[in-house]
Amino acid sequence: MRRRDQKYLYGLRGTPTIEALEHALDDLEGSHGTILVPSGLAAISFPLLAFLSSGDHCLVVDSVYGPTRLFCDTLLRRMGVETEYFDPAIGGAGLAQRMRANTRVVFLEAPGSNTFEMLHVAGMADVARRGGAVSMLDNTWATPLLFRPLDHGVDLSIHALTKYPGGHSDVMMGSVSANRETFARLRDAQMQIGVNVSPDDTYLVLRGLKTMAVRLKAHEAAALELASWLETRPEVARVLHPALPSFPGHDLWKSQFKGASGLFSIVLAGGGEREASAFLDALRIFGLGYSWGGFESLALEAHLGDRVVAKAPTEGPVIRLQIGLEDVADLRRDIEGGLAALG
Ligand SMILES: Cc1ncc(COP(=O)(O)O)c(C=O)c1O
């Protein structure tokens, strides 16, 4: 008998395990539907491909994750899409001035990568909607436990599940959670491109989700303790952490987010490449690494030379710290060693 209504007809369309994670993320995000892709970066490139065509204009916040910028400046440009970067501080009114008749996507990330600039998300999503553009937000830093973009009018919420949802640095995956108006086009693009994820990887993320809330609380508390202490250190010019009252975007963070995760940056008081390397080389517990959201602490120097308007801090090098689940006193001693190495 031919059964065209059979549910699991073809692997690309999903499996029960994939569906379980899609539904779990829909519950967390308040979304109509979710797609899973093999990395956080693919969760950025897929929706951009789904909603942009040759001749379109795309507005992207300048504090965006570096590889998002690279995708826009290379593949999207080749497709005939023009990307314009805007200052995260411009607010809804500033964004409205940059909207054009052919603006089809407004891409947000809050807080910004490496420097943690905050945005007035609802105001910006509203401007995008009125201008006929789809709004997307990279929500990886907050996870849906601390911020739900769709509640603020954003169309698509993007995650690198590689980070806190996976939580154990052993899986790469991304998700895009969409509202009712945008989901069908997103799913169509996924099927047209032909990419889904493996059930084994999906299982790892499903398992990670079960402990994400308690892990996040531990990351938040340890990061905040270290960030507050680092503010008192003379070797540190500034601490870039949205939950610190001294941070310029603090009020925006407080009015929109339910908490903070464990990723923040420090700006060293002077120095350059050599001092950044001395600090990083002296660390014993912190590893050197680009990813974050796992159990182990990581540090790196952020290179922000590609920014167009939201320029890098000028006081000294920017060091990004991912605070893991180790003992906080041990981490503090490790950072003290790094600061001592600055000479
Ligand atoms: C904010 C943000 N979005 C997306 C990604 C990409 O995630 P993945 O490493 O899974 O491609 C990262 C990775 O560092 C990130 O920091």
Side-chain angles (χ1 to χ4, degrees):
M1 189 176 80
R2 291 186 199 211
R3 291 275 316 275
R4 298 227 177 261
D5 59 348
Q6 190 180 321
K7 190 161 184 200
Y8 302 109
L9 193 62
Y10 193 69
L12 184 60
R13 292 180 175 271
T15 65
T17 316
I18 288 172
E19 207 173 73
L21 181 54
E22 289 173 350
H23 290 172
L25 292 171
D26 283 335
D27 285 347
L28 289 170
E29 285 282 349
S31 47
H32 175 72
T34 290
I35 68 162
L36 302 176
V37 287
S39 70
L41 182 55
I44 293 162
S45 59
F46 269 60
L48 288 172
L49 286 172
F51 291 96
L52 286 165
S53 309
S54 179
D56 287 349
H57 175 242
C58 174
L59 281 165
V60 177
V61 68
D62 198 35
S63 46
V64 78
Y65 173 57
T68 305
R69 182 190 304 273
L70 187 68
F71 182 77
C72 294
D73 292 349
T74 54
L75 202 140
L76 283 188
R77 177 179 293 163
R78 210 167 71 228
M79 276 175 48
V81 173
E82 183 190 349
T83 300
E84 180 181 339
Y85 297 96
F86 63 88
D87 191 328
I90 61 174
L95 187 68
Q97 287 170 5
R98 283 160 182 81
M99 293 289 291
R100 302 183 195 162
N102 63 338
T103 307
R104 289 285 164 267
V105 165
V106 173
F107 193 99
L108 309 172
E109 183 177 327
S113 268
N114 298 311
T115 40
F116 302 93
E117 293 89 342
M118 288 300 312
L119 304 173
H120 187 291
V121 175
M124 292 186 159
D126 186 51
V127 166
R129 175 151 311 187
R130 285 167 194 261
V134 171
S135 56
M136 327 180 164
L137 188 142
D138 185 333
N139 194 29
T140 303
W141 183 85
T143 83
L145 296 182
L146 305 180
F147 187 63
R148 299 209 324 170
L150 274 60
D151 292 349
H152 296 254
V154 173
D155 293 307
L156 303 172
S157 176
I158 291 168
H159 286 280
L161 301 174
T162 310
K163 320 296 183 201
Y164 294 113
H168 296 75
S169 314
D170 54 5
V171 62
M172 292 193 75
M173 196 178 290
S175 63
V176 191
S177 296
N179 58 15
R180 192 174 291 277
E181 298 83 63
T182 53
F183 181 64
R185 185 155 169 174
L186 182 71
R187 178 70 91 195
D188 285 351
Q190 183 192 23
M191 292 303 117
Q192 286 151 2
I193 296 169
V195 173
N196 212 318
V197 294
S198 93
D200 294 7
D201 288 347
T202 308
Y203 158 74
L204 287 175
V205 178
L206 272 169
R207 194 168 69 165
L209 274 189
K210 295 186 171 80
T211 56
M212 186 165 75
V214 280
R215 284 187 284 108
L216 263 184
K217 284 200 177 81
H219 288 294
E220 175 180 40
L224 206 48
E225 188 179 329
L226 292 169
S228 306
W229 163 69
L230 280 161
E231 275 203 305
T232 67
R233 296 289 308 214
E235 304 91 336
V236 176
R238 270 193 287 154
V239 180
L240 310 177
H241 189 314
L244 290 178
S246 61
F247 188 71
H250 177 70
D251 289 345
L252 275 175
W253 169 79
K254 206 168 164 183
S255 62
Q256 300 173 95
F257 285 57
K258 288 203 192 113
S261 61
L263 190 77
F264 68 96
S265 291
I266 54 174
V267 184
L268 296 182
E273 194 82 27
R274 204 179 60 81
E275 284 71 17
S277 299
F279 175 84
L280 294 170
D281 283 344
L283 299 175
R284 291 289 166 267
I285 298 175
F286 281 81
L288 195 60
Y290 280 108
S291 204
W292 46 279
F295 55 91
E296 77 277 69
S297 291
L298 298 170
L300 54 74
E301 182 185 4
H303 294 283
L304 305 169
D306 55 3
R307 297 277 180 97
V308 180
V309 273
K311 295 287 189 192
T314 50
E315 299 96 325
V318 176
I319 307 284
R320 194 189 73 182
L321 299 172
Q322 124 83 10
I323 306 304
L325 299 174
E326 305 92 336
D327 184 75
V328 190
D330 288 347
L331 293 178
R332 182 171 157 157
R333 263 193 301 278
D334 206 33
I335 297 173
E336 270 169 345
L339 295 175
L342 292 173

